[in-house]
Amino acid sequence: MGNNLDAITTVFTEFYYWVTIVFMFLIHVGFCMYEVGATRYRNHLHTLMKNTMLIPLVTITFYFFGWWIYWALPNGPGFTGGILWDMGAPNAPWSEVMATNLGDRITGVFWAAFLLFSWTAASIVSGSVIERIRSGAFWIHAVLIGSVFWIIDAAWGWSATGWMVQLLGYHDAYASGVIHAIAGGYALGILVVLGPRIGKFAADGTPRDISPHNPWLVTIGLFLIYTGFWGFYAACNVPIISPETIDGLITGETWTATNIYLGPTTLGAITFNFLMSLSGGLLMAYVVSKGDPFWTYSGGLAGIITASAGNDLYHPIQAMIIGGIGAFLAYKLHYFVERKFKIDDAVGAVAVHGYAGFIGLIICGFVLWGYPSSPYEGYAAINPLGMFIGAIIMFFVLGFLPAFIISKIMAAAGILRIPREVELMGLDFKALDEAEEAREEIRNAEKALV
Amino acid sequence: METWAVDLADVGAIYPWQGAEVIMVIVGVVLWLWWHVAQLRGENEEFKADLAKYGSPERIKKALDEHP
């Protein structure tokens, strides 16, 4: 920090991202509450630990290799160039700036901001597979989606120089695709192999409703996810930057906030659009689900997710309508896929994140058709075909496909699904039984004193 | 670091064991992989023990009644 202006800019930027990280922690708190509330009581402790332990596993692996992937692979490699060894080197785990270093004050904060997205990607998958996946199998999947596949897609489509941005005009400002479509696709890939919970479908294939053991916990969890999602939006922006620093086509000397592609937006724009797309989703989901609390809250989330690709540029009323479309389609598709393909997505994660994210990318391609995807010369403009290809890459190529293949391998090795008897007893049976025995012993001891 | 009597502009990394970063990464990766192996083994053993102790049809029916 050579002078006062540098110092203020550096401290502001550090603090800005640091605050977003704290907010984003609430996403994980919300996911834990939501997922635990959605399980039956006999599984709630294992479900809690399944989600909680992804935090350390994704954190250390994101340190070991996830962060390097983001900086080294924007070109594919093979689409617009090779591996960027020079860009990757300072972000490798053995680099001096990936540690306590007075010459670099912000790499750790940026790393953590991306890491919190990694937790979210893994946590989205976690909810859909509850009550029958082995924790050990899930944690391997968590590392793969959180520290490998999502960060590959971020390098490709959520980076100022990503090949998808350059060649396809891919635009995904707040991660409809790079977090939500990929995580939804990944969850679906596991679910196809994992199969439904025992009792989910009647002998004739009719789906049964397995009710959450605590609907109130589910809704509070979703409220917290909304709150953290707001922090996520702020984290996706560069808060203030000069045209000189961007070094692109923007003229003049007016500083601006930008999206991840360094294209201009404002904090006001994303505040309008976050709330309007949330509202569009809530309003539509309430109507389409006939006031069901679980789906109304989930629809709010689906609304934001659908509009997120273009919420840096949409008009708020566009964001509201797009949010409503996403919530409607997520709800309808969830039940269609459940009935037709017997997919047991316990929390609707594939629909709310995967289908809504996919649809959001398609809509963005039409609504922002012709807008520049980047302030740099030579990049493709945003267009429907590029966004459609991008949606396929996110949902199927980097989401569904690897999850399906890895799950098949795990199933063949016998480590994917819990034993049938354990599923029937409940994963927490031993703990609940021992707790009851302990209570009984204390009761008897107390009675002996009377 | 032996003293803070320095111009901070000239100071970079200040953590101990500088130069051993690659070794620390290898240790970290080995510990991470060991954790997965140990966890998967432990989970298998836990399921086996639970099934041996609680896996009878009567016990499962009792469990379903107690914790539906």
Side-chain angles (χ1 to χ4, degrees):
Chain A
M1 290 189 281
N3 58 50
N4 286 348
L5 184 59
D6 279 353
I8 290 168
T9 307
T10 303
V11 170
F12 169 73
T13 307
E14 283 175 2
F15 190 69
Y16 175 93
Y17 285 109
W18 184 83
V19 169
T20 68
I21 294 164
V22 178
F23 268 108
M24 285 192 288
F25 210 104
L26 291 176
I27 296 179
H28 211 86
V29 177
F31 269 122
C32 274
M33 293 174 75
Y34 170 61
E35 195 175 321
V36 170
T39 61
R40 286 163 290 188
Y41 187 70
R42 67 189 194 214
N43 296 311
H44 76 290
L45 295 174
H46 267 76
T47 301
L48 175 64
M49 295 317 297
K50 175 169 69 63
N51 195 310
T52 301
M53 291 308 293
L54 76 82
I55 292 177
L57 287 165
V58 173
T59 299
I60 62 173
T61 50
F62 197 73
Y63 185 89
F64 293 150
F65 45 78
W67 189 231
W68 178 86
I69 288 172
Y70 181 72
W71 289 98
L73 302 186
N75 291 329
F79 294 99
T80 49
I83 296 173
L84 298 177
W85 297 105
D86 289 349
M87 293 295 287
N91 299 288
W94 44 77
S95 159
E96 285 192 353
V97 299
M98 288 291 285
T100 313
N101 190 315
L102 297 187
D104 178 285
R105 295 164 182 274
I106 203 161
T107 295
V109 181
F110 280 142
W111 169 81
F114 276 70
L115 169 65
L116 270 285
F117 304 167
S118 301
W119 293 0
T120 298
S123 206
I124 290 166
V125 175
S126 179
S128 63
V129 296
I130 54 172
E131 301 194 309
R132 75 279 208 202
I133 198 168
R134 286 187 187 225
S135 296
F138 170 74
W139 289 326
I140 293 170
H141 277 300
V143 167
L144 291 170
I145 181 70
S147 293
V148 180
F149 293 111
W150 110 262
I151 199 66
I152 290 175
D153 86 30
W156 290 3
W158 208 55
S159 150
T161 57
W163 73 265
M164 288 175 63
V165 187
Q166 292 192 46
L167 301 183
L168 300 176
Y170 184 78
H171 183 83
D172 192 8
Y174 306 103
S176 293
V178 295
I179 288 286
H180 299 284
I182 188 175
Y186 199 97
L188 185 62
I190 299 176
L191 288 171
V192 168
V193 182
L194 184 64
R197 288 168 288 179
I198 294 171
K200 173 63 187 174
F201 294 98
D204 66 355
T206 309
R208 297 188 180 111
D209 184 30
I210 299 177
S211 299
H213 93 269
N214 189 335
W216 177 231
L217 198 64
V218 171
T219 51
I220 291 295
L222 280 159
F223 256 132
L224 283 173
I225 294 172
Y226 293 167
T227 311
F229 210 157
W230 214 332
F232 174 89
Y233 260 54
C236 293
N237 273 12
V238 176
I240 190 77
I241 191 169
S242 67
E244 184 188 350
T245 308
I246 295 173
D247 195 24
L249 296 169
I250 299 170
T251 58
E253 295 178 357
T254 304
W255 291 47
T256 181
T258 75
N259 57 29
I260 192 84
Y261 311 109
L262 300 177
T265 186
T266 71
L267 202 57
I270 67 170
T271 306
F272 273 135
N273 291 344
F274 178 88
L275 287 171
M276 290 294 273
S277 54
L278 167 67
S279 301
L282 282 167
L283 289 166
M284 176 57 79
Y286 183 86
V287 171
V288 75
S289 73
K290 300 182 173 59
D292 176 76
F294 178 84
W295 273 103
T296 302
Y297 276 87
S298 294
L301 200 54
I304 304 168
I305 290 165
T306 313
S308 285
N311 260 351
D312 56 329
L313 295 169
Y314 290 154
H315 185 279
I317 296 173
Q318 293 168 342
M320 180 191 78
I321 293 168
I322 292 167
I325 293 169
F328 177 84
L329 291 174
Y331 179 84
K332 291 291 183 187
L333 282 169
H334 171 78
Y335 285 109
F336 170 76
V337 171
E338 184 178 272
R339 281 192 309 271
K340 183 82 177 171
F341 301 103
K342 311 296 175 236
I343 298 295
D344 177 15
D345 176 8
V347 296
V350 177
V352 170
H353 298 274
Y355 307 150
F358 189 98
I359 292 159
L361 294 174
I362 306 297
I363 294 172
C364 178
F366 285 97
V367 178
L368 297 182
W369 197 343
Y371 270 69
S373 64
S374 161
Y376 298 112
E377 195 170 8
Y379 281 41
I382 301 168
N383 67 93
L385 180 62
M387 292 300 287
F388 178 71
I389 296 169
I392 297 286
I393 290 171
M394 295 299 161
F395 190 95
F396 289 105
V397 177
L398 291 174
F400 181 90
L401 201 57
F404 179 81
I405 294 168
I406 295 156
S407 296
K408 279 282 187 191
I409 295 168
M410 287 178 170
I415 60 165
L416 183 65
R417 185 161 180 146
I418 61 175
R420 185 172 176 277
E421 294 84 352
V422 173
E423 188 175 344
L424 287 168
M425 284 192 289
L427 282 156
D428 298 336
F429 177 73
K430 185 179 168 193
L432 295 174
D433 203 50
E434 287 172 353
E436 184 50 40
E437 279 175 16
R439 277 193 294 271
E440 181 68 21
E441 193 177 329
I442 289 170
R443 269 198 302 273
N444 289 336
E446 287 171 338
K447 283 176 186 172
L449 296 173
V450 176
Chain B
M1 290 297 295
E2 292 168 355
T3 175
W4 294 119
V6 292
D7 181 346
L8 295 180
D10 301 329
V11 178
I14 54 171
Y15 53 84
W17 301 354
Q18 287 172 44
E21 290 86 355
V22 172
I23 294 167
M24 288 192 281
V25 171
I26 291 168
V27 170
V29 169
V30 168
L31 287 172
W32 160 55
L33 293 171
W34 166 82
W35 190 92
H36 280 290
V37 173
Q39 188 279 327
L40 285 169
R41 281 185 181 159
E43 193 173 41
N44 271 336
E45 285 164 11
E46 189 186 333
F47 284 144
K48 274 184 194 165
D50 286 355
L51 287 174
K53 188 173 178 184
Y54 305 111
S56 68
E58 296 73 27
R59 202 78 163 95
I60 293 171
K61 283 177 186 167
K62 182 172 176 281
L64 283 165
D65 286 335
E66 287 173 355
H67 307 294

